[in-house]
Amino acid sequence: MSAPKIVILGAGYGGLMTAIELQRQMSYNEAEVVLVNKHDYHYMTTHLHEPAAGTTTDDKVRIDLKDLLDFDRITFVHQTVAGFDLDTRSVQLADGSVLDYDYLVVALGSEPETFGIEGLREHAFSIRSLNAVRVIREHIEYMFSRYHENPDNPAFTTIVVGGAGFTGIEFVTELAERLPALCRTFDIPREKVRLISVEAAPSVMPGFDPKLVAYTMERLKEMGVEVYTNTPIQSCTKDGITLADGTHIPSYSVIWTGGVRGNRIVEASGLETVRGRVKVDAYLRAPGYDNVFVVGDSSVIFNKEGRPYPPTAQLATQQGKACAYNLLSLIRNQPMKPFEPHLLGTLASLGRWEGIGIVGKMKLYGFWASVMKRLSDMRYLWQIGGVSIVLRKGRFL
Ligand code: FAD
Ligand code: NAD
């Protein structure tokens, strides 16, 4: 009998960790494992705000898959997934080819949620992949370079960040740190540049610890970021945004960080989804399909109070490990284990050496939060690639 075929879609935190754990734990010829990803590298989504702001090079957040996986044991398919069919157990790829599977792992991540707000999809940028953030960095630089065409047109040098959740705050603080250098390079007086964070909720990072939110607000003020809370963005055009109260802010650089939803390919497969995310069972399987696992941002799980866990890399990585374990258990006719998240906390950067966070019961501010965040990144790099990847990609400085 031939070995069962496992096809993993996506090499982000969830899919990559599933592949790595299978590679570590399966014995020779126990399963055929195929990993499909649209890039031949893994990018650290958790750091995309840095190349977006231009404070880190792409190379720091990108790791070639060949350096993490043994391609003799994992077959890598460098392709974009166009869809998958649960009845015929097949995956359609963008080049027209088809892959069949015995077991499927869906780990296709998320995409920006624009809530139908007029013009956002067409005119705003979003922090969603390495290729997408390169465009943001270069666009901002290009707009700054055009300032001298008409110094009275504020749209060239006004940057609007829509949504002040963690992504918006990490990006806006990163960019604020770079502004003095950008102004020097493009010969623009700092007072001609506006960096604006617009949030619909009454505070930035809604729902997060109030002391850490207050600390963040202080930091934003110090950095010269204008913060508008209780202010939903109503529409966006190529010339700027309009707020719910009708105010127009002229800007050629609108970056939308107002939320995410699951990848639409998952919804299109016919699986039942909530905002594009599959409500998985205790073993991370899609309801009704014992051979289909869904991990990371493509899935949603709930805590004891019935509230959904926010989609994070931390959760995706833990799910990837659990998924590999359960896949091997199924193949070996052994009992699977229900997935239990063990979340260590939340850490967010507020620029290069500043941050905030909660680890266990401890609140962290400033420098120590940023050190802790670096340590947690190193831990992740260690988990996926050992010491060589930590040395090559770790952020020591
Ligand atoms: P992803 O990591 O997004 O991976 C999905 C993969 O699927 C990608 O490799 C993509 O190329 C591939 N893919 C997508 N579509 C296709 C297709 N059609 N065909 C083939 N391949 C495809 N979480 C934390 O825990 N801590 C943090 O500090 C943190 N910081 C963040 C900072 C930013 C700026 C952002 C945007 C998010 C942050 N998050 C953080 C959230 C975290 O990044 C996500 O929850 C995490 O990336 C989800 O992992 P995933 O494997 O589900 O998806
Ligand atoms: P989010 O949903 O957490 O935040 C989006 C923000 O946009 C919200 O505050 C929302 O009120 C606001 N918003 C929505 N519509 C708006 C409108 N019309 N006008 C103005 N504001 C509007 O999304 P995110 O920040 O991209 O985070 C996505 C996930 O990734 C979350 O689970 C988050 O925890 C995780 N993440 C974690 C970290 C970290 O741990 N350091 C960093 C980034 C993201």
Coordinates of all heavy atoms in Angstrom, one line a residue, residues 9-16 36-39 41-49 79-82 107-110 127-129 166-167 170 260 263 265 295-298 311-317 347-348 373 377, ligand 1:
L9 N -1.4 23.5 2.6 CA -1.5 24.8 1.8 C -1.1 26.0 2.6 O -1.7 26.3 3.6 CB -3.0 24.9 1.4 CG -3.7 23.7 0.7 CD1 -5.1 24.1 0.3 CD2 -2.9 23.3 -0.5
G10 N 0.0 26.6 2.2 CA 0.5 27.8 2.9 C 1.7 27.5 3.8 O 1.7 26.5 4.5
A11 N 2.8 28.3 3.7 CA 4.0 28.1 4.5 C 4.2 29.3 5.4 O 5.3 29.9 5.5 CB 5.2 27.9 3.6
G12 N 3.1 29.8 6.0 CA 3.2 30.8 7.1 C 3.5 30.1 8.4 O 4.0 29.0 8.4
Y13 N 3.1 30.7 9.5 CA 3.4 30.2 10.8 C 2.8 28.8 11.0 O 3.4 27.8 11.5 CB 2.9 31.1 11.9 CG 3.8 32.4 11.9 CD1 3.5 33.4 11.0 CD2 4.8 32.5 12.8 CE1 4.3 34.5 11.0 CE2 5.6 33.6 12.8 CZ 5.3 34.7 11.9 OH 6.1 35.8 11.8
G14 N 1.5 28.6 10.6 CA 0.8 27.4 10.8 C 1.3 26.3 9.9 O 1.6 25.2 10.4
G15 N 1.3 26.6 8.6 CA 1.7 25.5 7.6 C 3.1 25.1 7.7 O 3.5 23.9 7.7
L16 N 4.0 26.1 7.9 CA 5.4 25.8 8.0 C 5.7 24.9 9.3 O 6.4 23.9 9.2 CB 6.3 27.1 8.1 CG 7.8 26.8 8.3 CD1 8.4 26.1 7.1 CD2 8.5 28.1 8.6
V36 N 2.5 23.4 -0.4 CA 2.3 24.4 -1.5 C 2.4 25.8 -1.0 O 1.7 26.1 0.0 CB 0.9 24.1 -2.2 CG1 0.8 25.0 -3.4 CG2 0.7 22.7 -2.5
N37 N 3.1 26.6 -1.6 CA 3.2 28.0 -1.2 C 3.5 28.9 -2.4 O 4.2 28.5 -3.3 CB 4.3 28.2 -0.1 CG 4.1 29.5 0.7 OD1 3.0 29.8 1.3 ND2 5.1 30.4 0.7
K38 N 2.9 30.1 -2.3 CA 3.1 31.0 -3.5 C 4.4 31.6 -3.6 O 4.8 32.1 -4.6 CB 2.0 32.1 -3.6 CG 1.8 33.0 -2.5 CD 1.0 34.2 -2.9 CE -0.5 34.1 -2.6 NZ -1.2 35.4 -2.5
H39 N 5.2 31.6 -2.5 CA 6.6 32.0 -2.6 C 7.5 30.9 -2.1 O 7.1 30.0 -1.4 CB 6.8 33.2 -1.6 CG 5.7 34.2 -1.6 ND1 5.5 35.1 -2.6 CD2 4.8 34.4 -0.7 CE1 4.5 35.8 -2.4 NE2 4.0 35.5 -1.2
Y41 N 9.8 31.2 -0.1 CA 10.3 31.6 1.2 C 9.2 31.7 2.2 O 8.0 31.9 1.8 CB 11.1 32.9 1.1 CG 10.3 34.0 0.5 CD1 9.5 34.8 1.2 CD2 10.4 34.3 -0.9 CE1 8.7 35.8 0.6 CE2 9.6 35.3 -1.5 CZ 8.8 36.1 -0.7 OH 8.0 37.1 -1.3
H42 N 9.6 31.7 3.5 CA 8.6 32.0 4.6 C 8.9 33.4 5.0 O 10.1 33.8 5.1 CB 9.0 31.0 5.7 CG 8.3 31.4 7.0 ND1 7.0 31.3 7.3 CD2 8.9 31.8 8.2 CE1 6.7 31.6 8.6 NE2 7.9 32.0 9.1
Y43 N 7.9 34.3 5.1 CA 8.1 35.6 5.6 C 7.5 35.7 7.0 O 6.5 35.1 7.3 CB 7.6 36.7 4.7 CG 6.2 36.6 4.3 CD1 5.2 37.0 5.2 CD2 5.8 36.2 3.0 CE1 3.8 37.0 4.8 CE2 4.5 36.1 2.7 CZ 3.5 36.5 3.6 OH 2.2 36.4 3.2
M44 N 8.2 36.5 7.9 CA 7.7 36.7 9.2 C 6.7 37.8 9.2 O 7.0 39.0 9.3 CB 8.9 36.9 10.2 CG 9.8 35.7 10.2 SD 11.2 35.9 11.2 CE 10.6 36.1 12.8
T45 N 5.4 37.4 9.1 CA 4.3 38.4 9.0 C 4.4 39.4 10.2 O 4.1 40.5 10.1 CB 3.0 37.7 9.1 OG1 3.0 36.6 8.1 CG2 1.8 38.6 8.7
T46 N 4.9 38.8 11.4 CA 4.9 39.6 12.6 C 5.9 40.8 12.5 O 5.9 41.7 13.4 CB 5.3 38.7 13.8 OG1 6.6 38.1 13.5 CG2 4.3 37.7 14.1
H47 N 6.7 40.8 11.5 CA 7.7 41.9 11.3 C 7.4 42.7 10.1 O 8.3 43.6 9.7 CB 9.1 41.4 11.3 CG 9.6 41.0 12.7 ND1 10.0 41.9 13.6 CD2 9.6 39.8 13.3 CE1 10.3 41.3 14.7 NE2 10.0 40.0 14.6
L48 N 6.3 42.5 9.4 CA 6.1 43.2 8.1 C 6.0 44.7 8.2 O 6.3 45.4 7.3 CB 4.9 42.6 7.4 CG 5.0 41.3 6.8 CD1 3.6 40.9 6.1 CD2 6.1 41.2 5.7
H49 N 5.7 45.2 9.4 CA 5.6 46.6 9.6 C 7.0 47.3 9.5 O 7.0 48.5 9.2 CB 4.9 47.0 10.9 CG 5.6 46.3 12.1 ND1 5.5 45.0 12.4 CD2 6.4 46.9 13.1 CE1 6.2 44.7 13.5 NE2 6.8 45.9 13.9
Q79 N 3.8 27.3 -6.0 CA 2.6 27.6 -6.8 C 1.5 28.4 -6.0 O 1.6 28.3 -4.7 CB 1.9 26.3 -7.3 CG 2.3 25.9 -8.7 CD 1.9 27.0 -9.7 OE1 0.8 27.6 -9.6 NE2 2.7 27.2 -10.8
T80 N 0.6 29.1 -6.6 CA -0.5 29.7 -5.9 C -1.7 28.7 -6.0 O -2.0 28.2 -7.0 CB -0.8 31.0 -6.6 OG1 0.3 31.9 -6.5 CG2 -2.0 31.7 -6.0
V81 N -2.3 28.6 -4.8 CA -3.5 27.7 -4.7 C -4.7 28.5 -5.3 O -4.9 29.7 -4.9 CB -3.8 27.3 -3.3 CG1 -5.1 26.6 -3.2 CG2 -2.6 26.6 -2.7
A82 N -5.4 27.9 -6.2 CA -6.6 28.6 -6.8 C -7.8 28.2 -6.1 O -8.8 28.9 -6.0 CB -6.7 28.3 -8.3
A107 N -3.7 26.3 5.6 CA -3.0 27.2 6.4 C -2.7 28.5 5.6 O -1.6 28.9 5.4 CB -1.7 26.6 6.9
L108 N -3.8 29.0 4.9 CA -3.6 30.1 3.9 C -3.7 31.5 4.5 O -3.7 32.5 3.8 CB -4.7 29.9 2.8 CG -4.4 28.7 1.9 CD1 -5.6 28.4 1.0 CD2 -3.2 28.9 1.1
G109 N -3.7 31.6 5.9 CA -3.6 32.9 6.5 C -4.9 33.8 6.2 O -5.9 33.3 5.9
S110 N -4.6 35.1 6.4 CA -5.8 36.0 6.3 C -5.6 37.0 5.2 O -4.5 37.0 4.5 CB -6.0 36.7 7.6 OG -4.8 37.2 8.1
I127 N -0.8 45.9 4.8 CA 0.4 45.2 5.3 C 0.1 43.7 5.3 O -0.3 43.1 6.3 CB 0.8 45.7 6.7 CG1 1.1 47.2 6.6 CG2 2.0 44.9 7.3 CD1 1.4 47.9 7.9
R128 N 0.3 43.0 4.1 CA -0.2 41.6 4.1 C 0.8 40.6 3.5 O 0.6 39.4 3.7 CB -1.5 41.5 3.3 CG -1.5 41.9 1.9 CD -2.7 41.5 1.1 NE -2.5 41.7 -0.3 CZ -2.8 42.8 -0.9 NH1 -3.3 43.8 -0.3 NH2 -2.6 42.9 -2.2
S129 N 1.8 41.1 2.9 CA 2.9 40.2 2.4 C 4.1 41.0 2.2 O 4.1 42.2 2.1 CB 2.4 39.5 1.1 OG 2.4 40.5 0.0
F166 N -3.1 46.4 16.8 CA -1.7 46.2 17.0 C -0.9 46.5 15.7 O 0.2 47.0 15.7 CB -1.4 44.8 17.5 CG -1.7 44.6 18.9 CD1 -2.8 43.9 19.3 CD2 -0.9 45.2 19.9 CE1 -3.1 43.7 20.7 CE2 -1.1 45.0 21.2 CZ -2.2 44.3 21.6
T167 N -1.5 46.1 14.6 CA -0.8 46.3 13.3 C -0.6 47.7 13.0 O 0.5 48.2 12.7 CB -1.5 45.6 12.1 OG1 -1.7 44.2 12.4 CG2 -0.8 45.7 10.8
E170 N 1.9 49.3 15.5 CA 3.3 48.9 15.3 C 3.9 49.6 14.0 O 5.0 50.1 14.0 CB 3.4 47.4 15.1 CG 3.3 46.6 16.4 CD 3.7 45.2 16.4 OE1 3.5 44.5 15.4 OE2 4.4 44.8 17.4
V260 N -8.6 42.0 9.8 CA -8.3 40.9 8.9 C -9.5 39.9 8.9 O -10.3 39.9 9.8 CB -7.0 40.2 9.2 CG1 -5.8 41.0 9.0 CG2 -7.0 39.6 10.6
N263 N -8.7 33.9 4.5 CA -8.5 33.9 3.1 C -9.7 33.4 2.3 O -10.3 32.4 2.7 CB -7.3 32.9 2.8 CG -6.8 32.9 1.4 OD1 -7.5 33.0 0.5 ND2 -5.5 32.9 1.3
I265 N -10.2 31.9 -0.4 CA -10.2 30.6 -1.0 C -10.9 29.6 -0.1 O -11.5 28.6 -0.6 CB -8.7 30.2 -1.3 CG1 -8.2 31.1 -2.4 CG2 -8.6 28.8 -1.6 CD1 -6.7 30.9 -2.7
V295 N -5.6 25.4 10.2 CA -4.8 26.0 11.3 C -4.5 27.5 11.0 O -4.6 28.0 9.9 CB -3.4 25.3 11.5 CG1 -3.6 23.9 11.9 CG2 -2.5 25.3 10.3
G296 N -4.1 28.2 12.0 CA -3.7 29.6 11.9 C -4.9 30.5 11.6 O -6.0 30.2 12.0
D297 N -4.6 31.6 10.9 CA -5.7 32.6 10.7 C -6.8 32.1 9.8 O -7.9 32.8 9.7 CB -5.1 33.8 9.9 CG -4.2 34.7 10.9 OD1 -4.0 34.3 12.0 OD2 -3.8 35.8 10.5
S298 N -6.7 30.9 9.1 CA -7.8 30.4 8.4 C -8.8 29.7 9.3 O -9.8 29.3 8.9 CB -7.2 29.3 7.4 OG -6.4 29.9 6.4
P311 N -6.6 36.0 16.1 CA -5.6 35.3 15.2 C -4.2 35.8 15.4 O -3.9 37.0 15.2 CB -6.1 35.6 13.8 CG -6.9 36.8 13.9 CD -7.4 36.9 15.3
T312 N -3.3 35.0 15.9 CA -1.9 35.4 16.1 C -1.0 34.3 15.6 O -1.3 33.2 15.4 CB -1.6 35.6 17.6 OG1 -1.8 34.4 18.3 CG2 -2.5 36.7 18.2
A313 N 0.3 34.7 15.4 CA 1.3 33.8 15.0 C 1.6 32.8 16.1 O 1.9 31.6 15.9 CB 2.6 34.6 14.7
Q314 N 1.5 33.3 17.4 CA 1.7 32.4 18.5 C 0.7 31.2 18.5 O 1.1 30.0 18.6 CB 1.5 33.2 19.8 CG 2.0 32.6 21.0 CD 1.7 33.5 22.2 OE1 1.8 33.0 23.3 NE2 1.4 34.7 22.1
L315 N -0.5 31.5 18.2 CA -1.6 30.5 18.1 C -1.3 29.6 16.9 O -1.4 28.4 17.0 CB -2.9 31.2 18.1 CG -4.1 30.3 18.2 CD1 -4.2 29.6 19.5 CD2 -5.4 31.1 18.0
A316 N -1.0 30.2 15.8 CA -0.8 29.5 14.5 C 0.3 28.4 14.7 O 0.2 27.3 14.2 CB -0.5 30.4 13.4
T317 N 1.4 28.9 15.3 CA 2.6 28.0 15.5 C 2.2 26.8 16.4 O 2.5 25.6 16.1 CB 3.7 28.8 16.1 OG1 3.9 30.0 15.4 CG2 5.0 28.0 16.2
L347 N 3.1 40.9 23.0 CA 4.1 41.9 23.0 C 4.0 42.7 21.7 O 3.8 42.1 20.7 CB 5.5 41.2 23.1 CG 5.9 40.6 24.4 CD1 6.9 39.5 24.2 CD2 6.3 41.6 25.4
A348 N 4.1 44.0 21.8 CA 4.0 44.8 20.6 C 5.1 45.8 20.6 O 5.5 46.4 21.6 CB 2.7 45.5 20.5
K373 N 10.4 41.0 23.3 CA 9.8 40.7 22.0 C 10.9 40.1 21.1 O 10.7 39.1 20.4 CB 9.2 41.9 21.3 CG 8.4 41.6 20.1 CD 7.5 42.8 19.7 CE 6.5 42.5 18.7 NZ 6.8 41.7 17.5
D377 N 11.0 36.4 19.4 CA 11.3 36.1 18.0 C 12.5 35.1 17.8 O 12.4 34.2 17.0 CB 11.9 37.4 17.3 CG 10.8 38.5 17.2 OD1 9.6 38.1 17.2 OD2 11.2 39.6 17.1
Ligands
FAD1 P1 0.5 33.5 7.4 O1 1.6 33.6 8.3 O2 -0.1 34.8 6.8 O3 0.8 32.5 6.2 C1 0.0 32.2 5.2 C2 0.9 31.7 4.0 O4 0.0 31.2 3.0 C3 1.8 32.7 3.4 O5 3.1 32.1 3.3 C4 1.2 33.0 2.1 O6 2.2 33.4 1.1 C5 0.5 31.7 1.7 N1 -0.6 31.9 0.8 C6 -1.6 32.7 0.9 N2 -2.5 32.5 -0.1 C7 -1.9 31.6 -0.9 C8 -2.3 31.0 -2.1 N3 -3.5 31.3 -2.7 N4 -1.5 30.0 -2.6 C9 -0.4 29.7 -2.0 N5 0.1 30.2 -0.9 C10 -0.7 31.1 -0.3 N6 1.0 37.7 15.9 C11 1.7 37.4 17.0 O7 1.4 36.4 17.6 N7 2.7 38.2 17.5 C12 3.0 39.4 16.8 O8 3.9 40.1 17.3 C13 2.3 39.7 15.6 N8 2.7 40.8 14.9 C14 2.1 41.1 13.7 C15 2.5 42.2 13.0 C16 1.9 42.5 11.8 C17 2.3 43.7 11.0 C18 0.8 41.6 11.3 C19 0.2 41.9 10.0 C20 0.4 40.5 12.0 C21 1.0 40.2 13.2 N9 0.6 39.1 14.0 C22 1.3 38.8 15.2 C23 -0.4 38.2 13.5 C24 0.3 37.0 12.8 O9 1.2 37.5 11.8 C25 -0.7 36.1 12.1 O10 -1.7 35.7 13.0 C26 0.0 34.9 11.5 O11 0.9 35.3 10.5 C27 -1.0 33.8 11.0 O12 -0.2 32.7 10.6 P2 -0.8 31.8 9.4 O13 0.1 30.7 9.2 O14 -2.2 31.5 9.6 O15 -0.8 32.8 8.1

